[in-house]
């Protein structure tokens, strides 16, 4: 039988886990208490460089471009 109290206690950490996943840019998809987390290596592999850089900047505020790349190069302007 499932320990409902333990399950509730574990679920109380969902926001904490998701905050960390967001802080470090691991969220691929999230909706209604379900999330798919991806390493940066796998995000780059699946999305390609342009989409990966755009996603990290727009969703997480993380600049993953090299220091010598300008914001206009990353956003495609």
């Amino acid at each position: 039988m499932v320990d409902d109290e333990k399950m509730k206690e574990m679920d109380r950490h969902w926001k904490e886990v998701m905050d960390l996943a967001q802080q470090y840019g691991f969220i691929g998809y999230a909706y209604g208490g379900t999330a798919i987390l991806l390493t940066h290596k796998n995000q780059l592999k699946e999305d390609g460089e342009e989409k990966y850089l755009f996603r990290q900047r727009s969703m997480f505020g993380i600049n993953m471009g090299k220091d010598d790349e300008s914001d206009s190069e990353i956003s495609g302007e």
Side-chain angles (χ1 to χ4, degrees):
M1 178 175 268
V2 173
D3 184 338
D4 290 333
E5 290 304 313
K6 184 170 183 132
M7 185 173 65
K8 288 176 187 175
E9 171 58 30
M10 300 296 274
D11 283 349
R12 285 188 196 106
H13 295 281
W14 178 254
K15 182 171 178 355
E16 177 183 350
V17 169
M18 291 304 294
D19 287 347
L20 285 170
Q22 181 173 351
Q23 178 181 347
Y24 293 105
F26 291 124
I27 300 172
Y29 306 96
Y31 181 79
T34 301
I36 297 175
L37 305 180
L38 300 123
T39 64
H40 286 267
K41 180 179 178 179
N42 284 327
Q43 289 178 54
L44 179 59
K45 180 181 174 185
E46 292 299 315
D47 293 340
E49 186 174 334
E50 186 176 334
K51 186 174 178 183
Y52 168 75
L53 291 171
F54 178 77
R55 173 187 286 230
Q56 287 298 313
R57 180 171 289 278
S58 65
M59 289 183 66
F60 309 112
I62 301 171
N63 179 3
M64 292 300 293
K66 292 186 179 182
D67 291 337
D68 60 348
E69 292 180 359
S70 70
D71 289 347
S72 62
E73 290 172 338
I74 292 170
S75 66
E77 295 177 35

